[in-house]
Amino acid sequence: MQRSRPAKTVSSAPAYRAFLRELVSFGLVGFVGTLIMIFGANLMRAWLGGSPVTSVAVPTVVSTLSSYLLNRYWTFRHRDSDGSGREVAIFFALNGVGLAIQILCTGFTYYSLGLHGGIAYNLGLLAGVVLGSAFRYWSYKKWVFTTAAV
């Protein structure tokens, strides 16, 4: 008599697919936030005559608020939330570090390298966005949107 073999079970979604979905969602949220920040920075710098540093800081704060809401309720909705202001406070603190990275890149391009043109400004801004985004993704997963305790 031959025994039947147990059926193979297939997980609903491999771990890499969940990671990719989370990374793509984070990227889309970041894209929206980046558009808010870049258009706001250029608007403040060109039309309102703001300084290069202020022109980055103010739109980034606006972008941070929209990013928190989109990340909490879309990208990291499957992760634990304690329902307190702790999550929001840590999110904004870590965004402050990300903002500092962006400001350092923009300030370095403008003040240290002496590149004052629009292309150089936007390249410095883009470098800051890339470095700041990498830091934000890592830090959000580590300290803000933590894995639910099972």
Side-chain angles (χ1 to χ4, degrees):
M1 183 163 158
Q2 186 176 9
R3 290 186 160 178
S4 63
R5 294 182 183 165
K8 290 183 179 181
T9 57
V10 179
S11 64
S12 60
Y16 75 91
R17 291 180 78 193
F19 169 73
L20 286 177
R21 187 208 62 80
E22 188 177 86
L23 192 60
V24 168
S25 298
F26 180 82
L28 289 172
V29 169
F31 180 73
V32 169
T34 300
L35 287 178
I36 292 169
M37 192 270 304
I38 288 176
F39 286 126
N42 281 289
L43 176 73
M44 287 187 70
R45 182 172 179 263
W47 294 342
L48 303 176
S51 77
V53 172
T54 304
S55 296
V56 172
V58 173
T60 299
V61 171
V62 173
S63 169
T64 299
L65 180 59
S66 65
S67 293
Y68 172 76
L69 295 171
L70 288 169
N71 276 312
R72 165 46 46 220
Y73 297 107
W74 184 44
T75 304
F76 298 109
R77 69 182 176 271
H78 60 284
R79 291 184 172 255
D80 202 17
S81 177
D82 61 7
S84 70
R86 173 198 162 278
E87 183 178 276
V88 176
I90 293 173
F91 183 90
F92 274 85
L94 293 172
N95 261 283
V97 174
L99 174 59
I101 292 169
Q102 288 175 224
I103 289 172
L104 286 172
C105 289
T106 304
F108 178 77
T109 303
Y110 191 85
Y111 295 112
S112 297
L113 298 178
L115 302 172
H116 299 257
I119 293 173
Y121 175 76
N122 282 293
L123 287 175
L125 193 59
L126 183 62
V129 167
V130 168
L131 293 173
S133 294
F135 169 78
R136 285 178 179 115
Y137 181 73
W138 170 78
S139 64
Y140 292 170
K141 286 184 73 165
K142 181 147 180 85
W143 292 304
V144 181
F145 306 116
T146 57
T147 305
V150 179

